[in-house]
Each structure stands twice: as structure tokens, then as C-alpha cells.
Amino acid sequence: MPKPGQGNRGGGSKKPPPKSATDGDDSYIVFSNAKDDKKVKKAEAKDPNSKDGSTSTQAAGEDTPKRPDTRKLIGGASWTGKLPVNMLSEHCQKQRWEKPEYTMSKTPEGFSSMVILKATNPKTKELTALPPFKLPPTHKHIAAQPTAVEARHFAATYALFRVCSMRNIHMMLPPTYRDLWKGDFQDLKKEDVAEGRAWMYEADPFAAKAEREEAQAIMAKKRAEREKQTAKEAEQAVGLGVPQGSGGSAAHRNIMRGWTRVPKIEMGKRTRAHIEDLVRLHAVWNSHGTRISEFQGRNIMNEFVDLGFRRSHIEEAIGQCKDREETLEWLLIHVPEDDLPNWSLPEGYVAGISMASGNLKREASVKRLAEAGYSAELCEKLLDQNAGDEGATAQALQNMLIGYEEGASDSSNAAVSRLVISEDANEGTIWSEEQTTLEAIFGDRFKSLSPKICQIQLNIPHFKNSCILNIRRPTRSYPSIAPVVLVSSASLPAYIRLSIIRQVIQHANENLLGEPMIFNMVDWLEAEIPKIVEHPGKLRDVSAGASAVGEMRTISTQDRNQHARRPPRSLDWWPGNPQSIAMLDRWRARQESSQQRKMLAARQSLPAWNLRDSIVKAVNEYQVTIISGETGSGKSTQSVQFILDDMIERKLGAAANIVCTQPRRISALGLADRVSDERCSPVGDEIGYAIRGESKQKPGITKITFVTTGVLLRRLQTCGGSSEDVVAALADVSHVVVDEVHERSLDTDFLLVLLRDVVSKRKDLRVILMSATLDAGVFEKYFSGGPSVGKIEIQGRTFPVDDYYLDDVLRQTGFNSGTRGRDIDDSGMEEMEPSVAHAIQSIGMRINYNLIADTVREIDAQLRTQEGGILIFLPGTLEINRTLDAIRAIPNVHALPLHASLMPAEQRRVFPPAPKGKRKVIAATNVAETSITIEDIVAVIDTGKVKETSFDPQNNMVKLEEVWASRAACKQRRGRAGRVRAGKCYKLYTRNAEAKMMERPEPEIRRVPLEQLCLSVRSMGVQNVPAFLASALTPPESMAVEGAIDLLGRMGALDGDELTALGRHLAMIPADLRCGKLMVYGATFGCLEACLTIAAILTVRSPFVSPQAKREESKEARSKFAQGQGDLLGDLRAYEEWSEMRKGSHQRDVRLWCDHYFLSNQTLNDISSNRSQYLSCLKEAGFIPTNYHSSSPATHASLNAHNTNSALIRALIAGAFNPQLARIDFPEKKFAPSMSGAVELDPEARTIKYFNQDNGRVFVHPSSTLFDAQGFPGGAAYMSYFNKMATSKVFIRDLTRKSTLPSSSDANPVIQSVAFNAYTLLLFSAPPRLDTLGRGLLVDNWLRLRGWARIGVLISRLRMMLDEVLAKKIEDPAWDLGGDEVVGIVRKLVELDGLDR
């Protein structure tokens, strides 16, 4: 038993000598090996020279050994500190625990001790003892000590570590124990914490023990409650054909929990037969030829045998499929229904043939033929083809089963055929004589059903199943042709019966033709049927008779080849070729013109001109050159010209092909115009541009092309699949100039990753990076691992710009709003005049449009008659429209908007001077920050705000937020006022607010959804997308990349690691993936115009406006167009009616009509403009004919045959929005009595709930037409939405476009949602997964559907066939999808919800 720790366990003096505070209580201990030794008496301890009586083996006269000094033994000769035992005793005393107890045991390895801690509850006086502090077996060896004293101190050290590991008291321990504390004990703690045993190291082990016991009690209670609930639910469980475990535990589980109230899918008989025919005829299994490994095959075999499939079927499926899921689908398609496991069959399934036609004779014929195992649908089909002749139908079925074609001659039977002299005379005689012989042989087992049909009961030893052989005389030439055989057996599956028929006919054809053969066939069958049942052969061998389709399609392992564009020809760097000489002559002649000299003088005034030679030298010497230049330096316009002029002078003009990327369309257009003017050349000749949907350039003639970054990326995208293809795509490019890299847009970062790889493989390519606020060190470091990097810095133009902050503006304008703002920071106002400080507080940090208008008036008054424009920076289009409304009241203002959504022609309106007597005022977003120069701008009004898209990958939420711009962006805005002369910048924010702005914006790659980027990367042949993006300048969050790839899979753009045909189309369309998907579906399913309009509405906003005073009237107007079909359908129908009115009505009438129905005419025009852009994208991608025009859609009728089909359009919208889906949860049905019986009542709208995967319950916004819906068309059970927004609740809505009316401050957010049915979910959402308990299908791992497993497999195969259709469209853009059978059956499924009608 453990003894309490004592101060003196060995001999010692009764009155020990004085000792220091650090001495241990066990300083004097005598060790002995004798069992009989007594403890040294206290009296003996008084004499320090007395001998220990236990040393009986010592010789007389030897000196008594000195008693060991514990301090030296434990701490070493020089140790003067505390010992572990004392430290543990002191700690227990401080914690008011009992004295520690020590166990002691002796093993062959040495002494081992453990500590037991106890504590008494001061209130209850209850004593709690902890289990001994024991080391795990892996560390048991370090606990063994040479002596008991050392074992006790080791145990004390370990106990201290258990309760004080979070403190640094190990510094007070002796060296040996200090090392243990920092070494083995710390390692042990890390292992324990990692395995969930952190409670072992709590400072209060007694409290930890109490908490664990309490938690265990709670868990035990919950377990008991759960078991009780499970038992209760098991009593109410709905029984299905579920595989039962041997342990019987399945009987106590309610497997239907969560499945009882989910939608149920059904499929009409004719529809299912049609799809099965398509699948067997056209479906491709294992298209990439992937082989299942032996290990995977064993696992699949064991699992599927347990599920109830035959081993031979599983072996055949494994040999033809790529993975577990496809193997399961193959089995459910090809194994006949009567041999499928119970769990895979529909509820109430009964094997056999059931028909409900009025033709009893036809029914009887079909039933007799199908008893042999043939498909009932196939029997019906062939019976009709043979005009109801049952004999001819049986012959046709058998020929199909064995692969025999009428009219084909068999060379092996030629000799037999020559023996037939007179068919008509001998055939009947031979048959009748054989029938007589058979009756004599088989007796009662033989039965003659008619002169041409007999029946024989087979006698198979040791075979339990009863088999009957029906034999029919062939339609001609017996016995040179085998008879028609039907084997019926109720207990044998259909495919085994067919296998028996097939093999006996093959045996007869090979061995028995030419003489009566029925007896030999019976003899063979009675011997071979048991073997056939045991090894029936492959399902493929009998597939011709098992379905209404002739046979399965041969598996294709040939990969599709992507049709890449032919790579351009490489550059010829040989100087002095004729083209280069001609260019030099033209260039020299042009330099002599007066116009060119005038332009040259203007160019020489720019700071960049002074560094012309340095720029050219750096570009020629270094592969990568970084040019940083302040605003107005001329870097964007001059650098490319310096490079071109140098190449022309060096007689290399023919090799020059400079591509300069710009982040925005207006920048590319503006620079192309400016540079072409400076070179006295029209746009499209020497200088060109290429933006989305528009380009002006001539191959071989255009030497500088300004493009948007996206255009260059798409060029690389279509070049092929490998990095070598990307290099080849730039073979004819001499220089790539990436401008405004400081903005760090997503496209720019992607391009830099590609360029870094290209320059390492193509040494003659030059890359120039340019920006006004470029952090050159970041980019130099990024490219430093490969090519050499040069740096050039250009000083900005010296035109001064005066800054005026908010307090200065208020002093000049005398503005005061009279109300206090809600988000103002009072810091920094102490030194302001009270009136100014009060005015700032009243305005707040929000945009005040009246203040902007007053500032414009003040600037106009200061300028008086001087010319000069005003540029106002605002965060978005809504703010631009409100600002324009505010300043249009100023008489002499020529107000213009400038933002990315405008068409190029509208954007160019900002460059010319204002009309005479007017002052140009431009309200712009951040598109005007860089690259463009508006010559007459002399004043800038900066609100300091910008709208940024941010993405939260954890809940898949996209937010477009108004935030403070960065200081770098504000510096760019300020520079706009000093581009052409001295100017002023009016900053509508305080100095304190500016100090708190970020230095630079967060790179877009870190704050936006990465789906489009990942798709673009994958479409270029990059297999490892995460690794590729990890090599970016600022790699995105790994969680965001994984989420993007997962979403692409759920959208159907990726199938595992492979890009689907849909994904290849989407990668080519520069639009939001959901909009692109909708347009692809629209062109595929014959409703192109409708889907184009909806995509444009999603891109712009809803055309409906909702003034605060008339919200209900506006909602009612929208509902009239929607007709219960959803918000987007209402918007679509409103646009269509407006479009028709615009063709034949006066503009005034159109505006009145818009006002009457609360529609914005301007928004409708914007939608029309976006439709045109999207149409150009589809043509450019090759998905629709280039001669297609929306004004005459009838020229391509198949593309628009279903524009009025609302059910189909709802389905396509839902498919495009996937996975943004919500489940509709209807309340329990209620009924009301009536004269004709109980009538079901529509549920109240407030009782209908909506749930999505990420947020649980979500809500339809009150402004939606579906907010008050009590039911939905077409059996809809789900809702799709374009986006969601979290406020006080999570609303499903289009977050990307918040407002409906730019000019109204009371505009409501638009809800973009539609309802859809279960087949839409199955066909256009994530691939359905089978539930192997027979409960139904699982979609996207959270949406459940009750139904037959085979339906899920058919839909899965149909989805793949649809992707094959899209793939064929890529290979043959001119192919018309209108009449495609797969497209037609998909359309029918979503329209009729799977029914036959």
C-alpha cells in the first residue's frame, strides 16, 4: 500500500542538525539488500559514528559506509536548490490538497514510483482521490530508476508537470529533471493534446475530473434518450426493400428518417422506355478508358455482393466502368428488373407483365413471348412490325438475340442448304414425324400445343427450378434452320432464360443442322442448364433481347480532341527584309510632315521623352522591364512608340508586333485614338485595338494593338491544351506590355503567371510592366527567379495640383445640411471652427449630392469664363445617376456619365470639348483613374469611395460594398486634374479619413470568386489548378480555390478533373458563369432570345422600379407580367412587350407605357445593349451562326422555337443558377368539406418555408412576386436564386444589382428567383447519387428525392449524353441542335415532370 510522504524514512537523529530551507526531508536514508533488516532505531541515530546493523555481510573491522546524501544523489554535487518531492509537497499545501502519496514497485529494470493526489471538499468533507499519475507504456522505460529515492523524485517531477506544465517552474528543478520536463514530458504532452487528452494537464485535476464525469453523464443520458427515440421511430418506420444486416440492428433504426416528406419522382412508362433505348444505344461508358485497379475492384465486388448483385454481373461491370459510381449505374441499367436487389426496385414492384390495353389477343401474345425473358416493350414493338403474327415475332426475337440477319448467307451452312431439295414437300413431313417420335420418347412430359408448336417439360437432376421448353417450327427451311425456342421458368431471371436460349441455338447451329434436332437439344439443355445458371455469361450477350434496343453501344475509349486554332507563324528577326525597309522609308517620310512635327513637339514635352534612350536600352537588354511613372509622364502612350520606332530604325519593323493590355475598354479605346493621332495614322492601320465584341486591326500591318486583358487571355485560352501551346500562341508577338499592373486585377495576375512561364521558354519575347503607383520591388522579386529584370522610373509632369479637404470645401461653399451624420469620426476636429466642425458632423461620411452640386457651382464660379472640365469620382452607376440629377439644375453644365457598362460610343463622348458656353462635368467611376486623358479637366471632385466585390468562401456570399478607396487610388484621381495644366482636387473627406485609408487595394484574386479563373486555367490544359494559382503574384486562399473547383463541379463545368463540354463553352464566353450557362442552354433548347434577355437583365438590373410611395402598385404591375412564373419571367415578358412597342410606336407612347407599368425606359435600353454584347460573344465563341440577328430570329427558327415555353425557361434558369437552390417546404395538407367531398386547401404563404444548404432557412424578399405565393406551377418543389444577401435574415436575391431605379432613393432590391420541379433538379443540378438503402436519390449531398434507383441512373446517363451533344456542337458549330433526340427528351422531362402526356 502507498504510504504518506514522510520526512524521515531511514535512520536519522532524533534531533537532526539544522538544515537549509532547500534541504529534503529524506536526507539520511540507508539502503539494504537484506529482507530481515529492521529500521534503525532512533537511539542509534544519535551517535553519528554508529554502524548500520543491516550490513551483516561486512567483515569485522571494516569502516561503516557513509550514508548517501540525497541532495547530491538527486541534484548533483553542487546543487543547493529545492528537490522535486519538496516542490510537490509545497504545491499541494498551497492548493490545500492532501499530502501526496507515493506507490513503489521494484522491477528488473529498477524502482518505479507513482504519485496519488487527494483533496477534501471543504463543504462536504468528501475526500476525492485521483488515479495514480502513470506514464503510458511507450514511456515506461524512463520511469525505471536505480534507487527508490530517485524513483520518488522522478514521480514527483512527473506529477508536477501534470499540474504545472503551463508554468516555468522547471527552472527551479535539478538539471536531470529539468531536461525531462523540457524533453520527454513536453513531447508526451503534445501527443496527448493531439489525441484529445488535453484534460490530463489541467492545473486543477480535481475540477477536470468532475467536468469529465459530468460530461460522461450527459452523454450517457443523451445516448439513452436517442436509443429510446430510435426504438419509438422504428415502430413507425415505413418498410421498403432494404438489405438487412446480420446483426439485426437495422430493424431498430428508422431508415426513412428525413425521407418521408421529400418530393417523389415518377417516370411514365413510355418515357422510361424511350430513355432506356437512348441510353443503351448512345450512352458511352468509361469514355476515357480508365481501368479500375485490382484493389478497388475487390472492394467494389465485396460491397456490391452485399448489396445483392450477382458476382458475374459485378465482374462484367468492373471490366467496363471507370469507378464505383459508374459500376453501380451500369448494373442498374443492364441487370434485368427481375434480377435486381429489392432495394433498387420501386415501392410495390411486382415482377411480370401488366398491360391495360383493350386488345386481349395482343396482350396474350406479348405475355407468352415475354415469358422467355424478352423485354415486353421489344415484344410489343416487333409484334406490331409483324402485323400481330406471333410466330414471325418469335422468330425475329430469336434472330435478334443470336445476332442473325434475314437474308444473310452463312457459309458454314452452305453444304446443309444444298441438301434441301423440296422445302414445301419435305419440311412439314419431317416436323410431324419428329413430333410423333418425341411424344413416344417423353410421354407425359410432351404436349402438342398446335401443329407447329410443342412443349416439353425438362427433367434436370438435382435442379429445383421447373423449366418448360416451348419449341416452334421456324418460318422456313427446317431442319436447315434451328427451331424457335422459348424457355420459361418462374424462378429463373429473364437474362438467364435468354442466355439458355442463346446458347442452345448456338449449339444447334454448330452441331445439329440438317436433321431432326429437338431431342438432341433437350438432351443438351438438361445437361447444361445448371452450368448456365451458375455461369450465365455476360449481360452484353443477351442485351439485344433484354431491351427494345438492338444492342449496347460499344464502349468508346477515344478521347475527344479539342479543336485548337492554328498557332501563328513565328517572327522573322532577320533585319533588312523588304517589308522592314519599306516601313523605314514610310516612317522617315512621315517624320518630315508638318503635322507629324507638331505632334512630335507635343510628345517631346512629356517627361517620358527624356528617358527614351533608357527605355529602349532596358527593353532590348532585359527580358522583363518594369516602368514606373507618375500620372502625366506619358509612359502609356510613349513607351510603346519608343519601342516601335527603335525597331523600325533597326530595320526590324516587320518583326514588330506589340500587344499592350489595359484593364478597361475605355482605356484601350482612348489610348488607341491618342497614339494613332500622335503617329498621324488612322485607327486600325499601324495602331489598332481589340476589345470584347469590337476590334480594329489588320494582320501584318498593325504594329501596336491595345487590348483588354481579357481579350489576350481568351487568345491564349483557345490556343490548345499545354504550356507549349500557350508559348506558340504568342509566337508572332514581339512585346507584351501589361499596363496598370498596380490595380492587381484578377485577369492581370493570371496573365503574369502565364507570361512568367512563357519568357522562360521564349528568350526573344519582351515583357514590359507599367504602372503609375507600381511597387517595383514586388514585381522584380516575382520575375527574379527567371529572366533578367530592368527598371525605369519616370518623373511625373510638374503641373501643380492644389488639395482641398472637406473642411476647406465647406468653408468655400458655405454648405450645411442641418442634420448630423451617423458615421462621422470626430477626431481631428478640435482645431476647426465650430461651424465647420458642426457642418462636417451634419454631413457624415456618406455621399452628399447637394454638397457635390454646390462644389460644382463654386468651381464654375471660380473659373468664370476660363475653359476647363470637372471630373467627379463616384463609387457606382447609381451614385453617378443621382449626381447627374443633382447637377443638371445648374444652367451651363454639360453633364456626362462615364462607367464600364456604357457602350464604347457612349464612353467616347467624354473626350471632345463641351459645347460653346457649357462646362463639361463628368461623373465617373474608377475607370477614369488611369490610362485615359481627358484634355480639358482642371478640377477633380473625389468622394473617396469605391465599390468593391468581396467574397466569403465559407458561406459562398458575394458582397458588393461601398468602401474607402486606397491612398494610391486617390493619388491617381488627384493626378487627373494636373494632366494638361495646373488644377485643383476637392476631397470630400477629412485628412483624418485619408490617413486611415489603405495604402493599396487588396488584390482582386484574394477577394472575388475564382470560378471563372479556375475554369480558364483548366481550359488551357492545366491539370493542377491549385498549384498553378499558388504560383501567382499573390496566391488566393486555398479554401477559395477549393470552393471554386467544387462549385465548377456542381455547375457541371468539371467532371472530376476533366473539363466537360459545357465547361469548354463557358470558358469561351466572357460573362458571369451563370449567365453564360443560361445562354448556352438557351441556344441548345431553342429559346435563345429569351435566355439572352434574362442574362442581360441579371447583368444590368430588373427594369421595374419601386418608388417608396407606390411599392404595392409596382409589385402588382410586375405580377401581371410574371403570371406566377417568377420574377425573371415577369421581367422577360415586360422586356418583350417593350421591344415590340418600340418597333411601331412613338417614343413618347413608349415612355408613357413604361411609366404606367413602373418600368425604367433607360434600364430597358441598357438591357438591350447588353443583349447585343452577349450575342456577339456567342457568335465569337462559335455557338451560334455568325449571320444570326435578333431582329429576324425566324431565319434560325430552331434556336427560338420554344421562347414562349415558360416551364422550359424556368428549368434552364434553375440549371444556370445551380447550385444556388432552395428547397420549398410545404406545410401539412389541409382539407375543407364541400358538396363533392373534401377539397384540398392552398397553404398560406407564411407557412411555406425555404431552406438552402449553407444557411438553413432563407426567406424570399417581400418585393418578390413569389413572396405571397401559395403554390407554384408545374409541381415545383424547389426555388433557384441568382444570389443571396444576409441582413437581419438571409434573403435570396440578386445581390450583384441592388437597386431597381437609379434615380430613386427608395428603390427596392430585386429578387431574381424562379420555382422548378424535380426533373429540372436531376438534369441540371449536381449529378444524382444513389442511396443504396433504397430510399431514393441524393442530389448535391443534401437534396433528397424518393424514387426508383433506375430513374436516377437513366438521368445520370442522359446528362452525359447531353454533354456529348454540347461536345459535338464544339466540333461542328454549324450543327443544328433543334431536332436532336437527346435535347428533345430532356425538354420533355422538364416540361411534363417525367410523365407521358
Side-chain angles (χ1 to χ4, degrees), residues 1211-1222:
L1212 300 184
I1213 292 171
F1217 287 2
N1218 174 63
Q1220 284 136 214
L1221 312 175

Side-chain angles (χ1 to χ4, degrees), residues 1329-1340:
R1329 193 160 53 84
L1330 303 179
D1331 177 73
T1332 53
L1333 293 179
R1335 295 171 296 188
L1337 309 172
L1338 191 65
V1339 179
D1340 214 6

Side-chain angles (χ1 to χ4, degrees), residues 15 70 135 280 313 325 382 431 527 561 691 717 807 935 1136 1148 1184 1187 1292 1320 1355 1361 1363:
K15 294 181 181 180
T70 303
L135 284 165
R280 288 193 175 99
H313 295 167
E325 285 68 29
L382 293 183
W431 177 264
N561 294 321
I691 61 175
Q717 225 173 282
D807 55 326
E935 294 289 351
E1136 290 173 342
R1148 181 174 176 277
I1184 61 175
N1187 61 344
I1292 48 179
T1320 299
I1355 295 300
M1361 292 163 63
D1363 198 64

Side-chain angles (χ1 to χ4, degrees), residues 824-830 832 990-993 996:
I824 189 67
D825 184 357
D826 292 339
S827 59
M829 297 186 186
E830 297 81 1
M832 295 182 186
T990 63
R991 292 171 176 83
N992 184 57
K996 294 180 179 179

